[in-house]
Amino acid sequence: MASVLVVEDDQFVRSALIRHLTEASHTVRSVGTALEALREVAHFRFDVVVLDLGLPDLDGAEALKMLRGITDVPVIIATARDDETEIVRLLNDGADDYLVKPFSVEHLSARMTAVLRRARAAGAEPPPTLIRVGGLSIDPLRRQAELDGLPLDLTRREFDLLAFLAGRPGVVVPRKELLAEVWQQSYGDDQTIDVHLSWLRRKLGETAARPRYLHTLRGVGVKLEPPRSEPGR
């Protein structure tokens, strides 16, 4: 069965979901705010998140964007909003499915099964081989990276960003493509990319002013290539 995070501030709804999902043999954790949800996904591994939009500290749509910044866990939106434009926007922002309240637990279970089936099918694809660019060595299967033989301590998103760019050495990747492929967002704030690039540069021992691997082309995108001092350049 699945490990589920329920993000719902209505105590009655929350208790009912916990009870029925537990009876269905799922492992359930629950929180009532967006900030608590972000802390949970940062510290625990979940198979699916059920996210209410009407949270007291942050609108669920904003919470979804923040979740997508740190995890690719499937997210099912639970909402009282039935506006088609809003639903399409949520799906474009990274939601995997949605349910309009009120809904039955049986309906939720069926949607969870479908979402998990798609996620597991995607995870069954053959893992890419070891990626080497200059002194960088990246193992997508083990999610490990080394620089000049020393392990890099990377967050999940930092690793995803590094692996994606390293898989296209010397190619300038537009920021829109990075948002779509690394963050699973059709649009977003460039600052998200800039912050993660800054963190990644620091761990690679470089800066934006003195880049070695990561090169930003203003208004175009980002590319990763071996340092010019590397042999063979």
Side-chain angles (χ1 to χ4, degrees):
M1 292 287 101
S3 174
V4 186
L5 175 63
V6 173
V7 188
E8 169 64 64
D9 69 317
D10 186 308
Q11 190 60 50
F12 177 79
V13 175
R14 187 170 159 187
S15 297
L17 288 174
I18 294 170
R19 182 175 66 256
H20 288 292
L21 290 172
T22 302
E23 289 173 354
S25 300
H26 298 298
T27 301
V28 184
R29 292 179 66 90
S30 68
V31 294
T33 68
L35 292 180
E36 289 175 315
L38 292 168
R39 282 195 291 266
E40 286 288 306
V41 298
H43 290 91
F44 300 98
R45 181 179 180 85
F46 296 98
D47 296 310
V48 64
V49 174
V50 180
L51 175 65
D52 175 41
L53 291 185
L55 299 173
D57 60 334
L58 190 67
D59 184 78
E62 292 301 315
L64 173 64
K65 293 179 183 179
M66 295 176 72
L67 282 170
R68 277 290 165 259
I70 60 175
T71 179
D72 57 0
V73 63
V75 176
I76 299 176
I77 297 293
T79 175
R81 310 170 193 176
D82 59 0
D83 178 70
E84 182 177 355
T85 302
E86 170 100 358
I87 291 170
V88 169
R89 183 170 64 84
L90 290 165
L91 293 172
N92 285 334
D93 283 348
D96 294 88
D97 206 343
Y98 71 93
L99 285 169
V100 177
K101 296 178 180 180
F103 55 82
S104 67
V105 176
E106 290 76 17
H107 193 176
L108 172 60
S109 294
R111 294 293 185 96
M112 282 177 48
T113 298
V115 165
L116 290 170
R117 184 167 56 242
R118 292 196 297 269
R120 286 163 182 162
E125 295 175 358
T129 57
L130 191 69
I131 302 170
R132 295 187 187 277
V133 181
L136 277 171
S137 176
I138 301 165
D139 188 336
L141 178 60
R142 294 181 174 83
R143 295 187 65 81
Q144 295 175 348
E146 294 182 351
L147 176 61
D148 299 329
L150 298 176
L152 291 169
D153 183 15
L154 303 177
T155 65
R156 179 185 182 89
R157 194 62 68 192
E158 289 168 355
F159 181 89
D160 291 343
L161 178 59
L162 180 65
F164 186 81
L165 290 170
R168 298 151 183 79
V171 176
V172 179
V173 181
R175 288 170 174 266
K176 185 175 181 180
E177 184 176 347
L178 287 176
L179 283 170
E181 298 297 333
V182 179
W183 277 267
Q184 290 84 49
Q185 296 180 16
S186 58
Y187 65 91
D189 188 349
D190 280 359
Q191 188 175 5
T192 298
I193 298 176
D194 291 335
V195 168
H196 282 82
L197 283 172
S198 176
W199 292 340
L200 195 51
R201 280 193 174 103
R202 190 178 308 159
K203 294 179 180 181
L204 295 177
E206 62 180 69
T207 65
R210 300 188 57 143
R212 295 183 67 237
Y213 286 92
L214 295 169
H215 301 265
T216 300
L217 280 74
R218 187 177 298 276
V220 182
V222 183
K223 69 175 178 178
L224 184 146
E225 60 183 10
R228 297 186 182 278
S229 59
E230 291 287 332
R233 290 290 298 183

